[in-house]
Amino acid sequence: RKHMNYDCGFEKGNHWFRYRTGGIIVHDNKMLFVKSTIGDYYYMIGGGVHMGETSQGCIEREVLEEAGIHASVEYLAVVCENFFKGDGGKIDGLDCHTLEFYYRMKIQDEDLSLCKTITDEGEELVWLPIEEIETSKIKPEFIKEKIHEILGERKTIHVIEERDR
């Protein structure tokens, strides 16, 4: 199926909505994150789902574009309804609402030296030790609180994140 090269999302007045995916990628007891250039925090690798694209297809495409590695979806780990006040960049000050599908992924490339250190957007890619996740600054917040549940059980959890509204 063909998909259009623009994200599922819109802006209306002071409101911004986006449908996005995130990849949960673990290797050698470390998890892959992107370090934000706007704020001092980490977030999950991923991006906006394009019109006509599946969320699984999106995260596999995004991981390849951003990190340069082939990873395939294993299962849907988290569905998050995320509400927050935009802070920095093009969403600064906007009332944001994202629908996020986080997938547990399996790395296909044996040679992880192929993994980039900087994304196509110029942000740093970081392999964060799992034991440091709970004490690191990560957005959305639920990731660090539920990391053991997310990594431990092969099930889908539903999260409504409203603390940063």
Side-chain angles (χ1 to χ4, degrees), residues 90-145:
K90 65 178 191 223
I91 60 168
D92 195 47
L94 297 179
D95 292 320
C96 299
H97 175 182
T98 57
L99 180 59
E100 304 169 354
F101 285 25
Y102 289 96
Y103 286 97
R104 186 69 194 262
M105 304 193 69
K106 183 174 175 47
I107 299 169
Q108 301 300 322
D109 293 307
E110 290 304 309
D111 183 8
L112 271 191
S113 68
L114 298 170
C115 185
K116 296 178 188 175
T117 54
I118 303 289
T119 70
D120 53 349
E121 302 279 320
E123 292 185 302
E124 189 184 351
L125 283 163
V126 178
W127 288 95
L128 205 57
I130 287 169
E131 64 272 11
E132 290 178 24
I133 290 174
E134 288 173 302
T135 56
S136 297
K137 195 167 178 198
I138 295 171
K139 288 186 178 183
E141 293 270 334
F142 79 84
I143 292 167
K144 48 194 219 173
E145 296 163 1

Side-chain angles (χ1 to χ4, degrees), residues 40-60:
D40 183 30
Y41 62 88
Y42 299 101
Y43 66 92
M44 205 78 81
I45 191 168
V49 178
H50 288 173
M51 293 293 291
E53 181 179 43
T54 66
S55 56
Q56 293 100 318
C58 173
I59 192 56
E60 289 175 355

